[in-house]
Amino acid sequence: MQQSRSRMRLRAGVVFWTALITASSATAFQVLPKVSDVDRKISTFGRNPVLDYLGQWFVGSTIPIMKSPVHESITLAAIGCNASLGFESDCVTIEAVKEHRVLLYGVRWPDDPPFQLNSKSPPRIKGCDVSVTLRSTSQPLCWWGMFSDAGAQAKKKSHVKAPAFGPGDYMLYRSHYGDLQFMHSMGAYDGETAGETVDRMKMWAEFLWGVAAGTTPTGTFIRDLGNSQLAAYFPGDITATNLFATGIVEVRKDLDKVAIGALLHMVQDSFSNAHAERGVDTGAMCGTPGFAKPGQIQKFRSYTKQSSTTHDEADTPKALGLHTMQISPSAVDASRSFLSMWKEKKSWAEASVFFDCVFEC
């Protein structure tokens, strides 16, 4: 009898949270499918399926970097849609997301990189299952717990002129609060010069362009690719496939799209006041006809000491609308230019000239 009641409560819990999620999503932006739903399905095989229903609603509805599809809006506008200037969020439709699913996975990747938890020393955070690849959609409570822990630890280390996290730490810690913040056009710590940050961004962009162009092998350890600077960030047994698609089998045949998406994310972030400070646009050109030059980079910010509320306000659809109506070239324009060069199969030597122009500091 007791077991029967427990099963009834479990079913009731699932039905309740399913109804809540459905009702909450019906009028929200999050009604669009997540860029990768496979890991959401995988979570049902984990140990906390009922908690994951709640966690997925929480992460998808309350965390700005997850609930506001700003990068998707910019990217789809750059690809081409009929939305009016300032209303790029109208580009984000279920049909468009499905059509460009893998590219948008890449665009979202820097915010939510998949990785395995350490089975020998699992995180002491509620809801973590070492058997399931960690992403916001597969283990939302664990993801949020680790993200919060990373922020708390980073603040304790904020007095040190060095990244709070580095090789050996989890990707979620490194990409948001550590040495990999350049993936978001941000400094690794307060006080890092703009030139230092751009050097790291260019290193990352060259690697991404190689994967996107098919000239960089995706099954070779990154440390063996011949770039000592890049190898210092990924010294272990990790390949491009491991980095971009751990536990996400569905995107592995299209890593070129994932890589160009990750590059677009970095480019787009550089136009957000939460990430970088640019000067006014001058109307100058970037050498190649038709590629306008953005305002010069004046400084990059680091997330460690930022107010999360202030940061989030600069990364919203409203902020994007103001940006595209007032700034030219905008994040959409720069994204369109990089996409054009990729589709035209430009070499990195050619693309790097435009990169240098976009990130002049």
Side-chain angles (χ1 to χ4, degrees):
M1 180 66 75
Q2 184 62 39
Q3 289 181 347
S4 178
R5 288 198 185 104
S6 297
R7 283 195 295 270
M8 289 175 65
R9 282 196 296 268
L10 178 61
R11 289 195 205 98
V14 171
V15 171
F16 171 76
W17 286 116
T18 302
L20 177 58
I21 294 166
T22 303
S24 300
S25 298
T27 57
F29 221 35
Q30 297 82 332
V31 69
L32 297 170
K34 289 289 185 181
V35 174
S36 178
D37 289 324
V38 170
D39 46 5
R40 180 190 293 270
K41 297 172 185 175
I42 288 174
S43 73
T44 63
F45 292 92
R47 295 178 301 197
N48 306 301
V50 177
L51 290 178
D52 279 335
Y53 275 106
L54 170 60
Q56 287 164 356
W57 174 83
F58 173 76
V59 171
S61 302
T62 63
I63 301 175
I65 65 171
M66 295 296 132
K67 74 173 183 175
S68 297
V70 173
H71 285 285
E72 289 87 340
S73 301
I74 297 171
T75 303
L76 292 172
I79 291 172
C81 81
N82 296 322
S84 301
L85 193 66
F87 294 87
E88 288 73 21
S89 59
D90 290 346
C91 293
V92 187
T93 64
I94 291 176
E95 291 74 21
V97 169
K98 287 181 177 179
E99 181 181 354
H100 301 286
R101 197 172 189 82
V102 178
L103 175 62
L104 295 179
Y105 167 88
V107 170
R108 180 66 79 172
W109 180 88
D111 281 336
D112 197 10
F115 59 91
Q116 293 291 339
L117 296 171
N118 188 334
S119 59
K120 296 180 179 179
S121 181
R124 297 180 178 180
I125 294 173
K126 185 177 181 180
C128 291
D129 184 347
V130 296
S131 68
V132 177
T133 300
L134 186 71
R135 268 174 55 83
S136 67
T137 48
S138 63
Q139 297 203 66
L141 295 182
C142 179
W143 188 95
W144 178 242
M146 293 184 72
F147 185 85
S148 301
D149 179 61
Q153 287 195 46
K155 279 182 168 51
K156 291 179 182 178
K157 301 177 182 179
S158 61
H159 63 285
V160 180
K161 293 297 182 182
F165 305 103
D169 293 312
Y170 285 123
M171 277 291 296
L172 186 62
Y173 286 59
R174 296 177 66 190
S175 62
H176 287 283
Y177 290 100
D179 61 333
L180 300 180
Q181 288 186 74
F182 57 76
M183 294 178 175
H184 302 279
S185 287
M186 299 187 81
Y189 56 88
D190 289 337
E192 182 178 83
T193 68
E196 291 174 315
T197 305
V198 168
D199 284 344
R200 293 179 173 87
M201 292 167 63
K202 189 172 183 179
M203 165 206 71
W204 178 237
E206 182 177 7
F207 167 68
L208 293 174
W209 197 266
V211 176
T215 58
T216 295
T218 57
T220 300
F221 293 139
I222 294 175
R223 56 178 164 80
D224 294 333
L225 291 176
N227 186 323
S228 59
Q229 187 183 11
L230 184 66
Y233 286 94
F234 303 102
D237 293 348
I238 185 169
T239 66
T241 299
N242 301 146
L243 182 64
F244 294 124
T246 289
I248 313 294
V249 176
E250 61 175 333
V251 303
R252 292 184 183 179
K253 67 181 184 301
D254 295 310
L255 288 183
D256 56 335
K257 295 178 182 178
V258 177
I260 196 66
L263 175 59
L264 293 179
H265 184 109
M266 182 171 68
V267 171
Q268 292 163 9
D269 274 347
S270 74
F271 288 85
S272 167
N273 288 330
H275 296 252
E277 186 176 318
R278 286 184 178 271
V280 296
D281 45 292
T282 62
M285 303 298 288
C286 284
T288 305
F291 288 174
K293 180 178 181 178
Q296 186 172 337
I297 294 285
Q298 297 180 341
K299 67 181 292 186
F300 290 101
R301 312 190 196 284
S302 172
Y303 194 62
T304 304
K305 290 184 178 180
Q306 272 195 30
S307 159
S308 59
T309 301
T310 301
H311 182 101
D312 296 338
E313 287 175 351
D315 287 341
T316 62
K318 181 178 179 180
L320 172 61
L322 286 172
H323 164 73
T324 57
M325 286 194 291
Q326 298 181 101
I327 304 297
S328 180
S330 66
V332 173
D333 299 321
S335 296
R336 185 180 297 115
S337 297
F338 275 107
L339 279 171
S340 295
M341 287 187 289
W342 173 60
K343 291 175 181 177
E344 293 168 7
K345 301 185 183 304
K346 300 290 187 182
S347 67
W348 172 244
E350 295 171 292
S352 66
V353 175
F354 182 55
F355 180 95
D356 291 338
C357 182
V358 171
F359 293 102
E360 181 181 340
C361 59

